[in-house]
Amino acid sequence: MTSEENSGMETRVSVISIIIKDEKAAAVINELLHEYRQYIIGRMGIPYREKGISIISVVIDAPGNVTSALSGKLGMQPGVSAKTLTAKIK
């Protein structure tokens, strides 16, 4: 969905927390985040080498259906866990 299609739609600020347990999944995760880049406010990635995982927090401002689609696609990747927290902002 393009930003033109979303104009006029209510957006919400959400944080998607991603834990990557399989290093091979990192490329797919980055591709998905690039695909949704117009909604991303910021992101932070932390490699936790001692545990062999990577943790990424992504803050987005998007319509609910876009947030759900991205979170679902991220969480469906093998070796990846993703959870979303959406703020109630007026």
Side-chain angles (χ1 to χ4, degrees):
M1 202 176 269
T2 66
S3 53
E4 291 82 26
E5 291 173 320
N6 286 324
S7 61
M9 292 183 80
E10 183 178 326
T11 64
R12 292 186 176 204
V13 176
S14 301
V15 178
I16 303 175
S17 300
I18 308 161
I19 297 178
I20 302 174
K21 297 170 266 186
D22 184 351
E23 199 175 296
K24 297 172 195 164
V28 175
I29 298 306
N30 281 321
E31 286 175 26
L32 283 168
L33 294 177
H34 180 74
E35 181 181 332
Y36 286 83
R37 69 189 174 278
Q38 71 262 28
Y39 304 105
I40 296 176
I41 299 168
R43 68 185 267 188
M44 175 181 62
I46 302 169
Y48 191 0
R49 291 177 186 88
E50 292 82 11
K51 299 286 183 178
I53 61 173
S54 294
I55 303 137
I56 303 172
S57 294
V58 181
V59 181
I60 64 172
D61 186 0
N65 63 327
V66 172
T67 301
S68 294
L70 175 56
S71 184
K73 289 177 184 179
L74 291 166
M76 288 178 12
Q77 302 306 313
V80 176
S81 297
K83 297 289 181 190
T84 303
L85 175 66
T86 301
K88 293 181 181 178
I89 300 174
K90 291 184 179 185

